[in-house]
Amino acid sequence: MKVTINDVAKHAGVSIKTVSRVTNNEPSVKQATVDKVNEAIKALHYQPNLAARNLAGNKSYAIGFIYDNPNAYYIIDMQNGILEACKNKGYELVIHPCNAKSATICDELTALVKYSRLAGLVLTPPLSEDPKVLKALTEIDAHYVRIIAGEKDNDQNGLTILVNDKFGAIEITQHLIDLGHKNIAFLSGDLHHESTKERLLGFKQALKNNGLKLDKNYIIEGKYSFESGVDGANQLIKQLHRPTAIVACNDEIAAGALFAARLAGLDIPTDLSIVGFEDSPFSRQTWPKLTTVHQPNAEIAQVATELLIAKRREQSTTNSKTFTPELIIRDSSARPKQK
């Protein structure tokens, strides 16, 4: 027979309400009681029923992960981070992919919140950067945390995880400059993503800091995809004055650029240095392995979810946290070839 909350309460010698408080991670329970209830849960192999918990009262125990991103590695990292926080806090995860450019995106998300009875949402770019989406969610009093690129947040009332992409782009461009590169190109991701804008700003800032001229022909607009990296690199390789190094807006673009360069007969990094961003599995699956910027996406997602849950339970006064990417030097960058 299925173990019930009544069985746990009886085994632990406490009330059903106390078991409920423990499984919901409420702060008002003494640690000795928490330990006793958890021992009973473990001994009886009890698993709380999410649907029953949601229907039992006004509280919800489900967090929604809303995304529109073609990068599978990014989504998996985010999902794992959110799931870890949910498991630790007694919540379930509802995953909802969507089209951020859809004309009905606001209606879609508000309906999801209402009918799935979500406790809150974790929003990733570009949804986390869309004023229309944020306004629609605020109007129905939905709780959410945004993961966005930037150094500061103008929305002082919202929950925000900031990722300092500009700093990361400065660091990786400076790495190439320190190696002796002066002709450096940039392959961008989707321009409606703030991460693209911040990384491009960092790239330009590094050039400016070192007195290097920005060549507009070296900035290629694209998307966050392998194919975009291939197309962008081909455009650069065919130029009369080919760059000696490429900064790609993410590792997937960088992997595509590396593929195109090798098909063109170029040696990486002797003929051309190529660097990425994010430190995804792409960066370690290429040959040579990519110099990149480490962005701890799973940790970012976990912290975002913990912040959201803590605010829902009125256990925290913190509204934001900033993550700073870290330079990872591997084999795809070297000094430029001497002519």
Side-chain angles (χ1 to χ4, degrees), residues 255-270:
L258 193 152
F259 177 77
R262 296 187 73 174
L263 281 182
L266 298 178
D267 180 75
I268 310 299
T270 306

Side-chain angles (χ1 to χ4, degrees), residues 51-65:
R53 291 166 72 196
N54 279 343
L55 291 170
N58 294 324
K59 290 185 179 180
S60 173
Y61 298 94
I63 298 294
F65 172 35

Side-chain angles (χ1 to χ4, degrees), residues 29-38:
V29 188
K30 293 180 180 178
Q31 188 58 48
T33 305
V34 171
D35 293 340
K36 188 162 43 172
V37 171
N38 283 333

Side-chain angles (χ1 to χ4, degrees), residues 294-313:
H294 177 63
Q295 186 172 295
N297 289 324
E299 182 184 354
I300 289 170
Q302 181 173 347
V303 170
T305 309
E306 290 170 347
L307 181 63
L308 176 63
I309 293 172
K311 289 295 286 188
R312 288 286 283 126
R313 293 175 172 174

Side-chain angles (χ1 to χ4, degrees), residues 2-210:
K2 186 177 172 107
V3 176
T4 68
I5 192 172
N6 294 331
D7 298 322
V8 175
K10 185 176 180 180
H11 192 282
V14 298
S15 67
I16 295 172
K17 189 173 183 179
T18 299
V19 175
S20 178
R21 285 175 176 169
V22 172
T23 57
N24 294 333
N25 292 297
E26 294 185 13
S28 57
V29 188
K30 293 180 180 178
Q31 188 58 48
T33 305
V34 171
D35 293 340
K36 188 162 43 172
V37 171
N38 283 333
E39 286 174 8
I41 289 172
K42 186 176 180 180
L44 298 174
H45 303 289
Y46 171 68
Q47 292 185 328
N49 185 304
L50 173 64
R53 291 166 72 196
N54 279 343
L55 291 170
N58 294 324
K59 290 185 179 180
S60 173
Y61 298 94
I63 298 294
F65 172 35
I66 314 300
Y67 68 88
D68 176 6
N69 192 307
N71 189 331
Y73 291 123
Y74 176 84
I75 297 306
I76 290 169
D77 278 347
M78 285 285 155
Q79 179 180 312
N80 288 340
I82 298 170
L83 191 58
E84 183 66 23
C86 285
K87 284 202 277 190
N88 292 339
K89 301 296 182 180
Y91 282 68
E92 294 290 336
L93 172 60
V94 175
I95 300 172
H96 186 81
C98 60
N99 178 6
K101 296 179 182 178
S102 168
T104 59
I105 185 61
C106 293
D107 293 336
E108 178 183 339
L109 295 185
T110 53
L112 174 71
V113 172
K114 290 177 181 178
Y115 297 120
S116 298
R117 301 190 70 245
L118 299 177
L121 302 171
V122 178
L123 301 176
T124 55
L127 294 158
S128 59
E129 302 157 351
D130 188 333
K132 298 190 300 297
V133 168
L134 303 180
K135 182 175 182 290
L137 292 174
T138 300
E139 286 176 351
I140 64 168
D141 199 28
H143 299 270
Y144 58 82
V145 58
R146 296 180 300 140
I147 298 174
I148 60 174
E151 299 174 83
K152 62 181 180 179
D153 181 25
N154 295 325
D155 182 6
Q156 299 300 319
N157 297 318
L159 300 179
T160 309
I161 299 296
L162 292 160
V163 183
N164 195 342
D165 283 350
K166 181 181 176 181
F167 176 84
I170 291 173
E171 287 285 287
I172 201 159
T173 307
Q174 185 64 50
H175 163 67
L176 294 172
I177 294 170
D178 290 343
L179 288 172
H181 292 278
K182 295 180 180 179
N183 301 313
I184 308 172
F186 185 88
L187 296 181
S188 92
D190 307 71
L191 288 179
H192 65 284
H193 282 257
E194 286 299 318
S195 57
T196 301
K197 298 174 186 176
E198 289 292 316
R199 293 170 194 183
L200 181 56
L201 280 174
F203 170 76
K204 291 178 177 179
Q205 186 64 54
L207 295 182
K208 184 178 179 181
N209 291 346
N210 291 273

